[in-house]
Amino acid sequence: MFDFIKQMFTKDQGKTDHEHDRLKITDGEAKNNVHIASPSTVSTPSTQKNFIVCNGKQVEINSKVVQRPLPTNCWTKTKTKTARVPSMLVTHWDVALSADRCFSILKNIKISTHFCIDNDGTIYQFVDTNDVAWHAGPTTRDRELWKGKKLPSWNSMSIGIDFSNAYYEKYQKNYVAAGFEPRPVITSKVNNSRLGPHLGFYPKQIEAYKELVRVLCAQYNIPLECPEPLEWTSEQAALGNFTGVVNHYNLTRNKIDCAGLPLKQILKEIKEIV
Ligand SMILES: [Zn+2]
């Protein structure tokens, strides 16, 4: 299985940092908007209970959640009797137009993430948090970049959360055509490189992320902390010596997601409500 993943990611080695494993938006679909559902006008009844699934059990959450399991050839089943104990939440963007499109891409290329937060803030759960999703690596390229260091399996020790976000400004028109507000356009900095302007996050996505992080950190006793300084790859996190919430780029210089996510502020706001 590891060889398969390695092979999958090895194909991406020639890409620049601005590209992404999962970028599969074709010109045809960008033009036709086929993968963005318009914002829903139907409000969810307030009495409806939402939950995420952790080791087969329903854990309540105050955000809309849709369960959409990925097939078993996209992730690793945890077979031990004792539950998995993840120590990190790893945050990504999917470089896709919607959570639905993200699901199809992951299914096709046989990788995964536990959650994807759609454009309207709906949380899609693709994998039970007790199982290992294939979202963070390390890949062959990551191992090269951390030459001489013994990296743990980031996938085994973490839970993956993706923001649906096409990243490139040229896709703004697709969101607008589907009836969404324009996405915020931001510039950001990672490892001293300036990025952007690029597409940022919808406020509804940030709200859903906050609730998801709050629930997962409480469930797994993960501290509401991020690496410092936040805008840099962290050796401590890469070596598995950090417990908390990270961006993918905190683990490897090979990635830029989620540049511009105000993680420190988000965690501060969660602490104020718990
Ligand atoms: Zn990522």
Side-chain angles (χ1 to χ4, degrees):
M1 200 171 295
F2 174 71
D3 280 343
F4 178 72
I5 303 168
K6 197 164 70 177
Q7 189 190 350
M8 176 92 61
F9 282 101
T10 306
K11 280 190 272 178
D12 290 303
Q13 282 186 23
K15 288 186 176 183
T16 69
D17 279 354
H18 289 262
E19 292 172 302
H20 195 281
D21 310 317
R22 301 174 191 166
L23 177 61
K24 297 284 176 186
I25 303 170
T26 64
D27 287 347
E29 71 190 32
K31 210 181 286 173
N32 297 323
N33 258 328
V34 287
H35 293 296
I36 305 187
S38 296
S40 172
T41 50
V42 184
S43 58
T44 316
S46 55
T47 50
Q48 193 179 318
K49 289 242 188 323
N50 281 287
F51 60 87
I52 56 169
V53 178
C54 303
N55 201 11
K57 294 190 181 71
Q58 297 185 356
V59 175
E60 227 179 283
I61 183 167
N62 296 318
S63 273
K64 189 183 169 196
V65 179
V66 174
Q67 292 296 328
R68 187 130 186 237
L70 273 166
T72 53
N73 60 356
C74 298
W75 45 272
T76 307
K77 180 93 195 147
T78 297
K79 289 182 181 146
T80 52
K81 279 191 182 139
T82 47
R84 188 170 81 97
V85 186
S87 56
M88 278 194 302
L89 306 184
V90 182
T91 318
H92 309 263
W93 52 47
D94 62 357
V95 197
L97 290 168
S98 67
D100 180 59
R101 181 61 185 149
C102 177
F103 179 88
S104 304
I105 295 165
L106 296 175
K107 191 176 160 193
N108 286 345
I109 61 177
K110 299 185 181 68
I111 57 170
S112 50
T113 185
H114 291 94
F115 300 97
C116 183
I117 303 174
D118 208 1
N119 301 310
D120 66 354
T122 301
I123 299 167
Y124 283 76
Q125 183 167 13
F126 296 156
V127 180
D128 184 319
T129 55
N130 194 51
D131 296 320
V132 178
W134 303 340
H135 61 98
T139 63
T140 312
R141 174 99 174 104
D142 298 330
R143 290 183 196 284
E144 280 167 16
L145 288 165
W146 284 110
K147 212 162 155 180
K149 307 278 180 186
K150 197 169 165 24
L151 302 179
S153 165
W154 300 329
N155 288 341
S156 299
M157 63 194 301
S158 71
I159 292 171
I161 304 173
D162 270 66
F163 279 95
S164 192
N165 181 359
Y167 178 77
Y168 297 97
E169 224 187 336
K170 65 179 177 177
Y171 296 117
Q172 182 73 284
K173 63 179 187 309
N174 296 83
Y175 295 103
V176 175
F180 283 88
E181 293 286 314
R183 296 191 83 100
V185 175
I186 58 174
T187 52
S188 52
K189 214 173 164 189
V190 172
N191 288 318
N192 228 13
S193 326
R194 201 158 272 288
L195 307 172
H198 63 87
L199 300 180
F201 313 92
Y202 282 124
K204 278 188 175 178
Q205 290 184 297
I206 297 285
E207 285 312 304
Y209 176 76
K210 263 163 82 172
E211 176 62 1
L212 184 56
V213 168
R214 180 189 73 77
V215 170
L216 289 171
C217 285
Q219 177 71 17
Y220 288 106
N221 211 11
I222 296 172
L224 292 161
E225 303 295 338
C226 59
E228 302 259 9
L230 179 62
E231 293 78 16
W232 291 79
T233 298
S234 155
E235 182 171 327
Q236 197 195 355
L239 296 183
N241 299 324
F242 174 82
T243 305
V245 187
V246 305
N247 282 303
H248 200 179
Y249 70 72
N250 289 129
L251 298 175
T252 172
R253 294 180 67 93
N254 195 27
K255 294 291 173 187
I256 58 165
D257 55 334
C258 281
L261 179 71
L263 188 52
K264 211 171 158 179
Q265 178 63 26
I266 288 170
L267 296 175
K268 187 172 163 266
E269 287 171 19
I270 301 172
K271 278 183 204 164
E272 282 164 8
I273 55 169
V274 292

